[in-house]
C-alpha cells in the first residue's frame, strides 16, 4: 500500500536527516551510550540543521510550518539508525507547544530565537516524587512576593527528561490551594532559568532504556522567578497541561510504530547473515512466519500512526483518538520488538546490537504520557462505558 502522508519536502528532509545521522551520530553513539547522555554541543548542531525551528514562526527564526510530519520523519530515521537524539525530543514535542500557546509576544521574543538555535534547551517539570500521574497532588509551590515582582519557588521534581542539560524549564507549581470542588485548581506554569540561585540538579537517573537521554531530579529552594516569566494565567495550569496531551501521545504512538518498523529491519538483516546448522536463519519456516506476522502488525500500526498524524495536523485529533493510537502502537511495538529480539538469539541480549537497545528504549512507551491502563480508561469513557 502506498503511503500518502509524506510529500517531496518531507522526503528531501529525510535524505538530509539520514545523512546527518550517519555522519554526526552513528560514529559516536556508543560513547554517548556509555556516558548516559548526548553532549550539550550536539544540540547546537541540531539547531544549525533547523530541527528546533520547524514549527516556530519565521519572525522568531523558525521555518513557520504548522505540521508534525517532519517530526514523524525524525522518529522514523532515528529508529531506523538505532539512535536517539539525547533529551532533545522534549525540547520540541513537549516544551514548544506551551511556549506557542501561552507565551506573550514579549516572552516569545525573549525565548524563541534561542530555542531555535539550541542556545537555550528547554524541559518541562511536572512529575514529583510520590505523585506520578496524579498531577493535582503536586506539592511544589510558587508564592508571590510581597512587592509583587517575583514568585518564590520551593519543591522538587523527578523523571525530568532533558533536565541535566536544560537552560530553561517549564515548572508546574501551586500558586493557590485546591478547592473542595476542584483539587486541580491552583496550578500555574513558569519559565524557570536553571542558573537561578536555589535551583539545583539532583541525581542523573540511571534508566533501563533511553540511555542517551539525560533524566534528572530537580530541587528548588527559594528560587526567585520574575512575574514576567509566568506562562499563561495564574491557577489555570492544569487545563493547559491537558491541552497538549493529544500531541504528546501522538508522538509516543508514532515513535513506537517507528521502533517496531526498525526492529523488523534489524531482524531481517540479522537472520540473513546468521547461519545455524549450515543454513541462514532466514531459511527456516519459523523465521519467515515470525517476521511475516511482525510485518503485518507493523503495517497496521503504520496506518494508525499515519491517520493520527493527519488528524493532528488538521487539528482534529481527539483525546480518545490519541489514546487509542498510543495504546495500539505501543502494544504492537512491545510484541514486535520482543519477537525480533528472540530471532537474534543470545546476541539479541547484547547491547552492541541495536535490537537490545531498542527493547529497553521501547519499554517506557507504555508508561509515560499516560500508562496503557489510563489509555484504556480514556477510550472506555469515550465509548460511554
Amino acid at each position: 500500500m502506498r503511503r500518502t502522508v509524506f510529500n517531496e519536502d518531507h522526503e528531501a528532509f529525510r535524505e538530509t536527516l539520514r545523512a546527518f545521522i550517519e555522519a554526526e551520530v552513528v560514529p559516536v553513539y556508543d560513547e554517548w551510550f556509555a556516558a548516559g547522555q548526548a553532549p550539550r554541543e550536539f544540540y547546537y548542531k541540531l539547531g544549525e540543521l533547523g530541527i528546533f525551528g520547524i514549527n516556530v514562526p519565521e519572525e522568531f527564526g523558525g521555518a513557520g510550518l504548522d505540521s508534525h510530519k517532519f517530526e514523524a520523519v525524525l522518529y522514523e530515521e532515528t529508529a531506523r539508525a538505532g539512535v536517539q537524539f539525547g533529551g532533545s525530543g522534549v525540547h520540541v514535542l513537549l516544551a514548544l507547544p506551551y511556549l506557542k500557546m501561552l507565551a506573550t509576544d514579549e516572552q516569545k521574543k525573549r525565548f524563541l530565537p534561542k530555542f531555535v538555535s539550541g542556545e537555550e534547551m528547554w524541559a518541562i517539570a511536572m512529575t514529583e516524587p510520590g505523585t506520578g500521574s496524579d498531577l493535582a497532588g503536586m506539592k511544589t509551590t510558587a508564592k508571590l512576593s510581597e512587592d509583587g515582582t517575583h514568585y518564590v519557588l520551593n519543591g522538587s521534581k523527578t523523571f525530568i527528561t532533558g533536565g541535566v542539560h536544560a537552560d530553561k524549564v517549564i515548572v508546574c507549581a501551586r500558586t493557590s490551594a485546591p478547592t473542595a470542588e476542584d483539587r486541580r485548581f491552583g496550578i500555574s506554569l513558569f519559565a524557570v532559568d536553571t542558573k537561578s540561585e536555589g535551583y539545583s540538579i539532583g541525581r542523573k537517573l540511571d534508566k533501563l532504556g533511553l540511555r542517551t537521554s539525560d533524566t534528572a531530579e530537580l530541587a528548588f529552594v527559594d528560587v526567585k522567578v520574575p512575574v514576567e516569566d509566568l506562562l499563561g494565567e495564574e491557577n489555570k495550569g492544569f487545563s493547559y497541561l491537558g491541552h497538549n496531551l493529544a500531541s504528546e501521545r501522538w508522538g509516543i504512538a508514532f515513535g513506537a510504530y517507528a521502533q517496531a518498523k526498525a526492529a523488523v529491519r534489524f531482524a531481517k538483516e540479522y537472520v540473513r547473515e546468521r547461519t545455524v546448522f549450515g543454513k541462514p536463519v532466514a531459511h527456516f519456516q519459523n523465521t519467515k512466519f515470525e517476521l511475516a506476522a511482525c510485518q503485518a502488525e507493523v503495517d497496521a500500526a503504520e496506518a494508525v500512526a499515519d491517520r493520527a498524524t493527519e488528524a493532528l495536523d488538521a487539528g482534529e485529533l481527539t483525546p480518545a483518538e490519541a489514546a487509542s493510537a498510543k495504546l495500539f502502537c505501543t502494544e504492537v511495538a512491545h510484541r514486535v520488538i520482543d519477537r525480533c529480539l528472540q530471532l537474534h538469539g543470545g546476541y539479541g541480549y547484547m547491547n552492541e546490537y541495536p535490537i537490545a537497545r531498542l527493547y529497553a528504549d521501547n519499554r517506557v512507551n507504555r508508561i509515560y504520557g499516560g500508562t496503557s491502563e489510563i489509555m484504556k480508561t480514556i477510550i472506555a469513557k469515550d465509548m460511554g462505558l
Side-chain angles (χ1 to χ4, degrees), residues 53-66:
I54 293 172
N55 293 323
V56 174
E58 292 182 54
E59 61 187 298
F60 304 115
L65 301 178
D66 189 20

Side-chain angles (χ1 to χ4, degrees), residues 60 99 102-110 228 230-231:
F60 304 115
L99 296 179
L102 301 176
T104 64
D105 288 341
E106 184 276 332
Q107 288 174 328
K108 289 177 181 177
K109 290 177 183 177
R110 281 195 289 131
E228 294 82 9
L230 171 69
L231 291 174

